[in-house]
């Protein structure tokens, strides 16, 4: 047996214990080895990936896993906050606005936040006509506007010019998106018959001119006529009791007309 030789081209016989079973064993080892290396590669990638991340930037795995709708951008909330603030400002503010000369100065302390008083002590009717649209545009929440003006104009002793100025004012305020009231003049005390007569004539004229322009009229003349106890010593400005009565009359007429209209 030791001296046997094989001719070229002849395949030497395989040992019986290394047949097909050995091939299967080799294949299992190859598969196992492959799986082992693949597991090792996965472990190495997952283990050392955090070391490769740059602070402030998400990794590729996080981008692929996290859904897009979960990514919140804080800056996107700012326009919503600004819109909410703007709507809040539009919804809050005075509902009534009183604009006038020195006669309304002391009325400011008589009202709550629902009513705002603007006093222009030296204004005449023409001055108020020029500024009323700008005032109304600055108070978008106002539903009712009360105007008290004309006492300073009487000093000029130009009744026809005063009527024309009032017509211009009435034409201007009739275009406003609000209920407009003209508060009639207050009768002075100890200021002479001429001033008294001119204010009385103005009061009568306004009582008919205002309805013609769809503007409401508030009559104050009869309430304060010859009531010295409601005026200060100058006979022109109202004292504390007079301001209280003046305020009550204005608000009473305001509420009454609003109830009748609506």
């Amino acid at each position: 047996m030791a001296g046997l030789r094989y001719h070229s081209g002849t395949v030497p016989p395989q040992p019986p214990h290394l047949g097909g079973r050995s091939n299967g064993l080799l294949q299992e080892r190859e598969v196992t080895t492959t799986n082992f290396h693949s597991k090792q590669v996965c472990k190495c990638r997952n283990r050392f990936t955090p070391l490769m991340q740059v602070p402030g930037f998400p990794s590729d795995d996080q981008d692929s896993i996290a859904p897009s709708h979960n990514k919140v951008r804080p800056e996107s909330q700012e326009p919503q906050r600004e819109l909410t603030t703007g709507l809040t400002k539009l919804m809050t503010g005075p509902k009534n606005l009183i604009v006038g000369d020195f006669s309304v100065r002391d009325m400011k302390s008589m009202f709550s936040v629902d009513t705002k008083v603007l006093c222009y002590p030296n204004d005449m009717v023409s001055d108020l006509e020029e500024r009323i649209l700008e005032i109304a545009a600055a108070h978008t929440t106002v539903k009712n506007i009360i105007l008290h003006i004309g006492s300073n104009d009487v000093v000029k002793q130009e009744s026809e010019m005063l009527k024309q100025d009032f017509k211009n004012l009435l034409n201007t305020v009739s275009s406003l998106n609000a209920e407009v009231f003209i508060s009639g003049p207050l009768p002075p005390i100890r200021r002479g018959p001429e001033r008294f007569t001119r204010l009385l004539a103005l009061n009568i004229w306004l009582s008919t001119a205002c309805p013609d322009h769809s503007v409401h009229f508030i009559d104050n003349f009869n309430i304060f006529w010859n009531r010295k106890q409601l005026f200060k010593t100058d006979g022109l400005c109202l004292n504390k009791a007079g301001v209280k009565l003046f305020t009550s009359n204005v608000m009473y007429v305001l509420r009454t007309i609003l109830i009748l209209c609506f």
Side-chain angles (χ1 to χ4, degrees), residues 103-174:
S103 301
V104 304
R105 179 190 296 113
D106 297 328
M107 295 178 68
K108 295 182 178 181
S109 60
M110 305 298 295
F111 294 103
S112 61
V113 293
D114 289 337
T115 301
K116 184 176 183 179
V117 179
L118 297 178
C119 178
Y120 302 94
N122 301 320
D123 266 16
M124 297 186 180
V125 177
S126 58
D127 299 322
L128 184 57
E129 191 270 331
E130 291 179 357
R131 73 169 82 224
I132 187 59
L133 293 181
E134 182 179 353
I135 292 175
H139 299 81
T140 56
T141 60
V142 168
K143 303 299 182 183
N144 307 298
I145 300 177
I146 300 98
L147 306 178
H148 185 91
I149 200 75
S151 296
N152 294 326
D153 296 76
V154 177
V155 180
K156 297 187 297 183
Q157 298 182 1
E158 297 177 353
S159 297
E160 295 303 318
M161 181 63 68
L162 177 57
K163 291 180 181 179
Q164 184 59 49
D165 290 340
F166 260 112
K167 288 180 181 178
N168 295 337
L169 176 62
L170 292 173
N171 289 330
T172 301
V173 298
S174 61

Side-chain angles (χ1 to χ4, degrees), residues 9 16 40 65 86 90 96 131 135 144 156 159 181 183 223 225 231:
Q40 288 296 106
I65 296 174
L90 288 176
N96 307 313
R131 73 169 82 224
I135 292 175
N144 307 298
K156 297 187 297 183
S159 297
F181 298 76
S183 175
I223 296 177
W225 191 344
F231 290 83

Side-chain angles (χ1 to χ4, degrees), residues 7-211:
H7 297 283
S8 61
T10 302
V11 178
Q14 298 293 332
H17 62 276
L18 295 178
R21 183 178 179 182
S22 63
N23 293 336
L25 182 60
L26 292 176
Q27 291 176 359
E28 290 181 2
R29 290 180 179 177
E30 290 177 358
V31 172
T32 303
T33 304
T34 303
N35 292 338
F36 173 77
H37 285 294
S38 62
K39 292 181 181 180
Q40 288 296 106
V41 171
C42 293
K43 289 183 179 180
C44 292
R45 183 184 62 183
N46 292 334
R47 180 180 180 182
F48 295 104
T49 297
L51 300 178
M52 301 299 294
Q53 295 179 3
V54 179
F57 290 87
S59 63
D60 295 338
D61 294 339
Q62 292 176 347
D63 287 342
S64 60
I65 296 174
S68 59
H69 63 271
N70 289 335
K71 298 179 182 180
V72 180
R73 298 177 60 185
E75 62 273 10
S76 63
Q77 299 177 359
E78 294 301 327
Q80 183 66 25
R81 293 178 182 176
E82 294 178 0
L83 178 60
T84 304
T85 304
L87 292 176
T88 303
K89 291 182 178 180
L90 288 176
M91 295 174 62
T92 58
K95 299 298 183 293
N96 307 313
L97 181 64
I98 299 177
V99 186
D101 53 23
F102 62 90
S103 301
V104 304
R105 179 190 296 113
D106 297 328
M107 295 178 68
K108 295 182 178 181
S109 60
M110 305 298 295
F111 294 103
S112 61
V113 293
D114 289 337
T115 301
K116 184 176 183 179
V117 179
L118 297 178
C119 178
Y120 302 94
N122 301 320
D123 266 16
M124 297 186 180
V125 177
S126 58
D127 299 322
L128 184 57
E129 191 270 331
E130 291 179 357
R131 73 169 82 224
I132 187 59
L133 293 181
E134 182 179 353
I135 292 175
H139 299 81
T140 56
T141 60
V142 168
K143 303 299 182 183
N144 307 298
I145 300 177
I146 300 98
L147 306 178
H148 185 91
I149 200 75
S151 296
N152 294 326
D153 296 76
V154 177
V155 180
K156 297 187 297 183
Q157 298 182 1
E158 297 177 353
S159 297
E160 295 303 318
M161 181 63 68
L162 177 57
K163 291 180 181 179
Q164 184 59 49
D165 290 340
F166 260 112
K167 288 180 181 178
N168 295 337
L169 176 62
L170 292 173
N171 289 330
T172 301
V173 298
S174 61
S175 63
L176 296 177
N177 187 24
E179 293 294 323
V180 181
F181 298 76
I182 295 294
S183 175
L186 300 172
I189 302 297
R190 296 187 302 272
R191 284 287 176 167
E194 183 176 358
R195 184 184 180 93
F196 178 88
T197 303
R198 289 183 181 275
L199 286 174
L200 176 59
L202 176 62
N203 187 79
I204 296 173
W205 180 82
L206 284 173
S207 65
T208 58
C210 289

